[in-house]
Amino acid sequence: MLFARRLREIAALHPSVARVAGQGLHWTIELFGPDWRDWRADTAEPPIASRVAAGALAQGAVIGTSGEQVSLFLAPPFIIAEQVAETLLGILDENLFLADREHNTAMESARG
């Protein structure tokens, strides 16, 4: 299926993506980051998942978050044209570069 194939391709391009899971048109993209069970919503800036979703929304794509730091959700309508699906996935791909930058910075800091 288009979403399974394309999301795995996109994940392979982005070091910030820890996991992709789903089926049909309901997918989760989990980013590397703090365990959601430890997050207390006490950060000064919005979580990375929220910032990726906001960037996508500014480009016309609705990508959901669960309100925690690292999970993104795709659940487009059951009737979606392939061109529209490709546009949605392209916007996700483009906005994941924000998460990649933060992930790469965190990895560099951890190496010291």
Side-chain angles (χ1 to χ4, degrees), residues 1 16 19 32 34-35 42 57 73 92 102 104:
M1 164 156 219
S16 61
R19 183 176 73 94
F32 282 103
D35 187 313
D42 58 355
L57 185 59
F73 302 102
L92 170 66
E102 287 197 17
N104 292 342

Side-chain angles (χ1 to χ4, degrees), residues 3-85:
F3 270 73
R5 179 180 53 78
R6 289 287 291 127
L7 283 170
R8 288 188 178 99
E9 290 171 0
I10 290 167
L13 296 173
H14 295 280
S16 61
V17 176
R19 183 176 73 94
V20 171
Q23 60 184 348
L25 292 174
H26 190 212
W27 290 86
T28 298
I29 300 94
E30 185 177 330
L31 305 174
F32 282 103
D35 187 313
W36 63 270
R37 292 168 289 211
D38 297 329
W39 190 57
R40 303 293 178 250
D42 58 355
T43 56
E45 72 178 329
I48 187 61
S50 295
R51 288 182 279 135
V52 169
L57 185 59
Q59 292 180 277
V62 176
I63 297 175
T65 68
S66 64
E68 50 89 11
Q69 292 179 291
V70 296
S71 294
L72 299 164
F73 302 102
L74 292 180
F78 286 120
I79 300 172
I80 184 171
E82 187 171 331
Q83 181 181 3
V84 174

